[in-house]
Amino acid sequence: MSALTPVTTTLRKQAVKPLYRYSGVRWHDSVRYLTGTTTAGPSVPSGASILAPSRTALSRLPWLTLLRSAALTTMMCSPTLLKPSIAAMGLITHPKIPLFNPETNPVLNALVRNVVYDQFCAGTNHTEVAKSVSDFKTLGYQGVILTFAKEIVLTEEERAAAAANPGQYTQAHYSMVESWRENSLASLRMLQPGDVLAMKITGAGPIAVDALQSRAAMPKVIDDALTELCAEAKKQGSRLWFDAEQQSVQHGIDDWAIELMRRWNADGQALVYNTIQAYLKSSRDVADRHIAAAATEGWKLGVKLVRGAYIEHEERSLIHDTKEDTDACYNDIADKLINQRLPASVSAGEFAFPKANLMLATHNAESTSLATESHRARVSNALPTCKLECAQVAGMADELGCELIMNYENTRADQTAVNSMAPKPYKCLTWGSVGECMGYLHRRAIENRGAVVRTKHMAAALRKELWHRLSFN
């Protein structure tokens, strides 16, 4: 395999690592035009002939998406605008009066739908979701991750009450499990082979929440529902992952996810994935626990790696003290999987690193470039590594997503590339009614409050593409 040409990206001021092609041909000049990138390293191999492209990476975005993305991202760059916007979304997420409830106020519903919902959510029904999935795949994304928005986020009082009265369930509680099972199956049936169903276990209600909080085994009604979902996902060639949630239930989620990977990932396929949140101080230990279990028990590990989205609902002491600590932790966990570093608790002489799939779920260009560079190096040197895929949330990080699409498409077009190992780009989609999606939308806004610098670069790239189109360049 020929050497790879690095491309230094300036999506962030401090970005020091490039995104890579898995071949010897450079990225399109249009990527460098869009993001201000410069080339370094080897040039195009002799004999290669690449026509100069006429469009930028972001040129694949529809006009409406580009305009709305530029406007919303610019707003998120401004603390002056972002703070009241988050406060307003909080009122709508937890309405005290019907006026602030989008399910009962049609004017508010239409406003939220057109300004925010349509940018970040996939739709309210099968028809709308199917169109969103088709639109993203037409853009070049190789798959989607779909989740139903309904969930339970417990207050301190609710957590205490649940702990004080465990096991007291009525038919209404079992009906919640059935509704969650049906909604999950409906979501799964909207997907195609290779796509992923993302599940929030707390959506099943108190029966699941109580068991998770006490780290009990899966109740039979939950176990039966998850078994049915896994069997359906396997039958249609899709995958299933557990979304991360609050730490009060996360340890139980880890237990259940490992148990299901034990059952369903033993045939060499990663059907079930679990999510690791790198903003938690315990996340390296959580990653080591998953790696050790897969290595010693002989099943394939599936990991979705995120920074985290529940900072407003967690004990601050559980979270890294600085963003830099979180970034370092995220990159280190990705490196463990890509470079196959066994935990100290596992004897390297007795066990090999397990087969693993890693979904790098991040909007951080530096983390993406670090991971793809390391993965590329392993592939180039014929060293074992995990399967790597990259994902961003719908409505966000379009400039990074479009670069990843261009990277993948260029690699697939190059006969000398190791095509099967190039990271596929994915989009994470959430569906449900406007009211059901408000909790998700509120968390996305809070998440961006701590990423103003990165968001400024996103906004700059979107505005540059907009100007590029308006000036007919």
Side-chain angles (χ1 to χ4, degrees):
M1 178 174 167
S2 59
L4 299 177
T5 303
V7 179
T8 305
T9 177
T10 57
L11 294 177
R12 292 179 52 186
K13 284 185 179 179
Q14 284 77 34
V16 296
K17 296 292 184 181
L19 291 172
Y20 280 88
R21 290 206 51 202
Y22 282 61
S23 71
V25 181
R26 297 187 306 201
W27 278 31
H28 283 322
D29 290 342
S30 56
V31 179
R32 298 194 296 277
Y33 167 80
L34 171 67
T35 61
T37 55
T38 58
T39 58
S43 59
V44 178
S46 65
S49 177
I50 302 298
L51 295 176
S54 60
R55 65 178 196 163
T56 64
L58 281 171
S59 65
R60 65 185 67 231
L61 290 182
W63 267 100
L64 179 58
T65 301
L66 177 63
L67 288 167
R68 190 163 50 206
S69 293
L72 288 173
T73 308
T74 299
M75 183 204 73
M76 289 188 290
C77 293
S78 169
T80 304
L81 296 175
L82 186 59
K83 187 174 181 180
S85 298
I86 291 175
M89 292 182 73
L91 289 175
I92 301 171
T93 302
H94 306 289
K96 304 295 185 184
I97 58 176
L99 179 66
F100 295 139
N101 188 342
E103 303 290 15
T104 58
N105 182 341
V107 175
L108 179 62
N109 186 293
L111 178 65
V112 173
R113 175 105 198 215
N114 286 285
V115 174
V116 180
Y117 179 97
D118 286 346
Q119 176 70 9
F120 299 104
C121 300
T124 62
N125 55 52
H126 184 281
T127 301
E128 293 176 358
V129 173
K131 183 179 185 307
S132 293
V133 170
S134 176
D135 288 346
F136 277 110
K137 290 189 176 181
T138 298
L139 285 178
Y141 289 98
Q142 297 303 299
V144 299
I145 301 107
L146 184 65
T147 185
F148 183 56
K150 187 176 181 180
E151 62 182 273
I152 295 175
V153 177
L154 301 176
T155 64
E156 291 290 344
E157 293 77 13
E158 288 169 333
R159 286 199 290 266
N165 301 286
Q168 299 181 13
Y169 308 123
T170 66
Q171 184 56 45
H173 293 120
Y174 287 96
S175 295
M176 289 180 71
V177 176
E178 179 61 18
S179 175
W180 168 79
R181 183 192 72 85
E182 290 178 353
N183 285 324
S184 297
L185 282 170
S187 300
L188 182 60
R189 288 164 185 153
M190 297 177 193
L191 300 176
Q192 298 170 356
D195 293 338
V196 183
L197 172 66
M199 300 185 60
K200 287 196 175 295
I201 301 299
T202 57
I207 294 177
V209 172
D210 290 349
L212 290 168
Q213 287 185 311
S214 61
R215 297 191 72 172
M218 283 179 274
K220 185 176 186 306
V221 65
I222 302 293
D223 195 337
D224 289 347
L226 288 171
T227 297
E228 181 181 6
L229 286 161
C230 287
E232 286 294 317
K234 184 171 184 177
K235 181 178 178 181
Q236 73 178 42
S238 300
R239 294 172 282 175
L240 180 152
W241 77 32
F242 290 90
D243 270 337
E245 304 198 41
Q246 294 169 266
Q247 283 302 285
S248 60
V249 296
Q250 186 59 50
H251 298 300
I253 291 173
D254 292 342
D255 295 342
W256 293 6
I258 288 174
E259 173 58 27
L260 287 172
M261 283 192 271
R262 207 175 267 132
R263 297 181 196 174
W264 294 94
N265 292 11
D267 62 354
Q269 300 298 314
L271 178 75
V272 179
Y273 287 60
N274 195 22
T275 300
I276 297 176
Q277 301 181 95
Y279 74 167
L280 295 169
K281 293 177 180 177
S282 62
S283 56
R284 285 185 176 92
D285 291 336
V286 172
D288 284 345
R289 179 193 173 197
H290 284 68
I291 294 168
T296 57
E297 297 173 14
W299 40 267
K300 190 167 188 177
L301 177 60
V303 170
K304 166 197 168 192
L305 183 60
V306 302
R307 277 169 168 77
Y310 286 87
I311 195 167
E312 295 294 304
H313 304 284
E314 299 287 15
E315 293 181 30
R316 186 62 184 85
S317 62
L318 299 175
I319 298 169
H320 286 298
D321 297 331
T322 67
K323 180 181 180 301
E324 290 72 23
D325 290 342
T326 295
D327 291 342
C329 183
Y330 188 97
N331 296 335
D332 185 48
I333 294 172
D335 186 75
K336 283 177 186 283
L337 292 160
I338 293 169
N339 284 302
Q340 310 223 323
R341 292 158 41 204
L342 277 171
S345 61
V346 178
S347 170
E350 187 175 358
F351 298 101
F353 195 92
K355 294 186 184 216
N357 285 11
L358 171 61
M359 181 69 79
L360 202 72
T362 182
H363 301 158
N364 188 295
E366 185 173 353
S367 290
T368 303
S369 59
L370 283 168
T372 53
E373 176 194 3
S374 182
H375 189 255
R376 182 237 12 124
R378 298 286 294 188
V379 173
S380 296
N381 293 308
L383 295 172
T385 188
C386 65
K387 178 179 179 180
L388 179 64
E389 296 167 314
C390 300
Q392 294 82 43
V393 170
M396 301 176 69
D398 287 323
E399 78 300 333
L400 178 58
C402 287
E403 282 197 44
L404 288 165
I405 291 172
M406 184 172 283
N407 180 22
Y408 182 78
E409 290 177 347
N410 290 349
T411 302
R412 296 290 295 180
D414 181 3
Q415 297 291 325
T416 65
V418 182
N419 296 331
S420 63
M421 296 302 290
K424 291 183 178 180
Y426 280 71
K427 266 295 183 186
C428 301
L429 312 180
T430 297
W431 78 281
S433 70
V434 173
E436 288 168 336
C437 289
M438 284 310 303
Y440 163 78
L441 293 170
H442 190 220
R443 283 205 316 277
R444 292 280 76 80
I446 291 171
E447 177 186 341
N448 276 278
R449 184 177 62 189
V452 172
V453 173
R454 185 189 72 218
T455 306
K456 284 181 178 178
H457 286 281
M458 293 180 186
L462 290 163
R463 289 195 300 269
K464 188 167 187 177
E465 169 62 21
L466 186 59
W467 177 252
H468 179 62
R469 293 190 192 185
L470 292 172
S471 61
F472 303 102
N473 290 329

